[in-house]
Amino acid sequence: MIELDGAGRSFKVRRRVVHAVRDLSFTVSPGEFVGYLGPNGAGKSTTIKMLCGILTPTSGRVRVAGLDPSRRRTTLARRIGVVFGQRTTLWWDLPLTDSFELIRHLYKVDRATFRSRLDELAETLDLGTFMRTPVRQLSLGQRMRGDLTAALLHAPDVLVLDEPTIGLDVVSKASIRDFLRRLNAEQGTTVLLTTHDLGDIERLCRRVMLIDHGRLAFDGTLDDLMATAPEQSSLEEVVTRLYTGAAPAQ
Amino acid sequence: MVRTYFLLIWTWTRAAAAYPVSFTLMILFGIITSGLDVAVILVVFANTTTLAGFSRDEVLFLYGAASVSFAICDMFISNIDRVSQHIKAGTLDTILIRPVGAWIQLAADRFTPNRLGRVLQSAVVLGYAVGALDLDWRRAWMIPVMLVTGIVIFTAVWTLGGAMQFVLIDAPEISNALTYGSHQLNQYPLSIYARDLVKGVTYVLPLAFVNWQPGLYVLGRDDPFGTPEFLRFAGPVAALALALLAALAWRQGVRHYRSTGS
């Protein structure tokens, strides 16, 4: 579903070349739920932007749902859902229902499919009470549930999440996690999740990829990841070891 | 594409209606400021009978023609000049993940119908001038051609201004100078300007085809600068050439963003 082959992305900053991501290769199969970890500035967002076609890779090959994102951006947009935790894709002054209706048109979802899909999402994400509230008046947790709905209305094959639980309280986090787990299990949606919240990773991801200094530092199951550190270490300790450069046993 | 555009502006209109006081005040200010432009012309003609060889009604005709095209573009596509704001705020990313072209989404971005006042005011001035002038009706066909040409030229100029902002992220004012400056220039007969400037807006950035060249034909006047007769009809060609250039520049701009990111 997602395929990177030697993908790299460099930027010129004041005549110096900075490699945000270099020689990145991995494959995510349909139906996988992958956690994508890395310290700040490691290249997570750059990777995500290459996956949705916002950034063109400077080297290597990227394929999402069989398409080259940078060349087929608008076609790919119909098959991928993207959520940025730090910024909303909803219309600030409009009620959620109006944003969803507009998205229905932009993504050309037919009315019946849209109706049933929205009803389903509204029920599982419990949007009922604030469907008619302007987005600017929603709490962060409510807004995030709205953003998730917006990203899923066109039934994408792949869902890419960039820190979806940032700033949420424990209850909101739990409901979003529960929703994502069910989405992946019941509908087979492939999910790539970027987060700094290790609770997200522990509860959701069978597979974890860790990127550091633009390179893949670990790729394996959560159990494999735990095995890189002495026994009884918490996930936090394991990840700290990897982030601070203690040799990854791979 | 057109349907998507209207859907987007309808959405933004409802969003703007969430702030009714600001909405009403903006319409009012729109009418007042554009009214001042006309007042200046009238003040000039209170002291003289001709301006660079043109009568008051002829000047109002040229003003009205340029302003109708400009005001329509100002209302419907001028928000394309917010590119640098979107880049800085990171909202361009959320635009690029949608299955619709970035140009359409940006042109419609934060649309409000409050610039309608300006369109109406310009149309009234043009209507008045056409009625007051003793025009040769066999030449009137040029008026709609001129307005469409003007809309295409201003759309292209705005698009060029937006495209420039992909590179000059810190200087969005440059694109304002291009767009609003163009309109300021076209408000008066070009014969009041220096010959070299007029050459520039005829052969380089074809602003002279918004109202001046076709307007001379409608008014049955010779060009004081003595340009050849066929230029009166060259507007659509010049507009298409500029539009093509703008489209290419826009493509390059989006590509540049996708190769630098924010």
Side-chain angles (χ1 to χ4, degrees):
Chain A
M1 189 54 70
I2 301 176
E3 221 180 299
L4 268 78
D5 188 10
R9 173 68 242 194
S10 57
F11 299 97
K12 275 208 185 82
V13 183
R14 293 195 196 87
R15 291 192 193 152
R16 271 182 43 244
V17 178
V18 178
H19 296 274
V21 169
R22 54 175 112 195
D23 196 24
L24 198 59
S25 302
F26 63 78
T27 307
V28 177
S29 309
E32 276 197 277
F33 200 128
V34 182
Y36 194 44
L37 285 175
N40 294 321
K44 296 189 301 294
S45 294
T46 304
T47 314
I48 285 184
K49 285 180 183 183
M50 289 198 290
L51 294 180
C52 13
I54 297 174
L55 273 181
T56 313
T58 38
S59 61
R61 209 176 83 109
V62 179
R63 289 287 179 279
V64 177
L67 300 166
D68 178 350
S70 68
R71 287 175 189 279
R72 309 283 306 278
R73 193 186 76 238
T74 49
T75 313
L76 177 63
R78 286 183 210 289
R79 306 197 47 191
I80 189 172
V82 187
V83 175
F84 296 109
Q86 316 234 38
R87 57 183 74 109
T88 183
T89 55
L90 302 165
W91 278 258
W92 203 240
D93 291 314
L94 294 180
L96 281 178
T97 43
D98 293 27
S99 278
F100 296 157
E101 186 61 31
L102 185 62
I103 284 166
R104 177 178 91 75
H105 285 280
L106 294 183
Y107 286 82
K108 298 200 173 74
V109 181
D110 72 79
R111 203 175 288 274
T113 316
F114 168 79
R115 202 60 259 171
S116 67
R117 190 129 183 112
L118 180 57
D119 287 347
E120 195 186 320
L121 287 163
E123 199 191 310
T124 39
L125 282 168
D126 200 14
L127 306 179
T129 51
F130 53 89
M131 274 290 251
R132 310 217 137 266
T133 315
V135 171
R136 65 186 140 88
Q137 291 173 12
L138 298 181
S139 73
L140 193 57
Q142 293 173 328
R143 206 208 74 202
M144 186 46 62
R145 285 183 271 164
D147 260 310
L148 266 174
T149 307
L152 291 167
L153 279 172
H154 59 293
D157 303 325
V158 191
L159 180 64
V160 176
L161 304 159
D162 193 357
E163 303 187 32
T165 53
I166 194 164
L168 299 187
D169 65 60
V170 281
V171 179
S172 303
K173 260 184 202 172
S175 82
I176 295 226
R177 282 172 186 161
D178 187 47
F179 171 78
L180 291 174
R181 187 174 33 237
R182 284 177 54 190
L183 177 81
N184 174 255
E186 290 165 18
Q187 314 216 4
T189 309
T190 312
V191 185
L192 184 77
L193 167 72
T194 294
T195 183
H196 288 297
D197 188 317
L198 299 173
D200 292 348
I201 300 287
E202 274 180 317
R203 285 175 187 74
L204 293 170
C205 307
R206 287 179 291 270
R207 176 177 166 195
V208 180
M209 291 192 294
L210 196 144
I211 186 175
D212 197 8
H213 294 104
R215 291 174 195 275
L216 205 57
F218 178 86
D219 182 2
T221 63
L222 189 58
D223 292 339
D224 292 342
L225 181 69
M226 297 305 284
T228 63
E231 267 184 62
Q232 306 299 322
S233 307
S234 66
L235 180 57
E236 197 176 330
E237 284 160 353
V238 175
V239 169
T240 310
R241 263 171 64 90
L242 286 169
Y243 280 9
T244 51
Q250 208 186 341
Chain B
M1 219 166 91
V2 175
R3 212 176 140 233
T4 305
Y5 175 81
F6 280 102
L7 207 69
L8 284 167
I9 65 172
W10 172 235
T11 305
W12 284 110
T13 305
R14 280 177 305 158
Y19 305 96
V21 176
S22 146
F23 188 76
T24 325
L25 281 177
M26 287 293 281
I27 294 186
L28 215 61
F29 281 127
I31 294 176
I32 293 172
T33 48
S34 53
L36 283 175
D37 288 343
V38 181
V40 170
I41 295 175
L42 296 179
V43 167
V44 170
F45 281 100
N47 297 300
T48 175
T49 50
T50 62
L51 182 66
F54 288 82
S55 72
R56 189 188 75 172
D57 292 343
E58 284 175 322
V59 172
L60 286 175
F61 172 79
L62 291 170
Y63 167 85
S67 295
V68 167
S69 307
F70 180 82
I72 287 175
C73 289
D74 190 32
M75 178 165 166
F76 288 105
I77 67 119
S78 70
N79 292 326
I80 203 86
D81 70 10
R82 291 218 186 96
V83 168
S84 82
Q85 283 180 36
H86 282 288
I87 292 177
K88 286 180 195 164
T91 39
L92 195 61
D93 291 351
T94 61
I95 285 171
L96 288 175
I97 60 164
R98 299 223 174 91
V100 176
W103 191 88
I104 293 267
Q105 291 184 64
L106 284 166
D109 180 62
R110 285 185 249 175
F111 171 88
T112 69
N114 61 28
R115 287 168 173 150
L116 189 63
R118 202 177 175 123
V119 177
L120 292 176
Q121 180 263 346
S122 310
V124 167
V125 172
L126 181 63
Y128 161 80
V130 168
L133 286 163
D134 191 16
L135 293 177
D136 179 350
W137 290 107
R138 282 165 303 173
R139 294 185 171 211
W141 62 270
M142 181 60 98
I143 297 175
V145 175
M146 171 172 70
L147 294 179
V148 173
T149 304
I151 290 171
V152 174
I153 290 176
F154 280 127
T155 302
V157 169
W158 248 299
T159 306
L160 280 171
M164 275 163 53
Q165 293 185 19
F166 281 106
V167 184
L168 304 168
I169 294 167
D170 297 324
E173 301 80 11
I174 293 179
S175 88
N176 280 343
L178 200 64
T179 51
Y180 291 90
S182 299
H183 178 235
Q184 288 295 324
L185 187 96
N186 276 329
Q187 287 187 359
Y188 294 96
L190 291 186
S191 50
I192 68 168
Y193 300 108
R195 182 174 287 267
D196 286 340
L197 178 69
V198 178
K199 267 189 187 159
V201 296
T202 307
Y203 300 109
V204 185
L205 187 65
L207 298 171
F209 298 98
V210 169
N211 60 346
W212 175 243
Q213 288 287 352
L216 289 173
Y217 173 78
V218 176
L219 296 171
R221 302 278 303 243
D222 289 328
D223 186 349
F225 293 108
T227 54
E229 181 78 25
F230 77 89
L231 282 182
R232 315 287 178 270
F233 309 98
V237 178
L240 282 179
L242 188 67
L244 202 66
L245 183 75
L248 284 174
W250 181 261
R251 258 177 71 115
Q252 281 312 111
V254 175
R255 193 171 291 174
H256 177 80
Y257 176 76
R258 295 199 302 131
S259 68
T260 55
S262 54

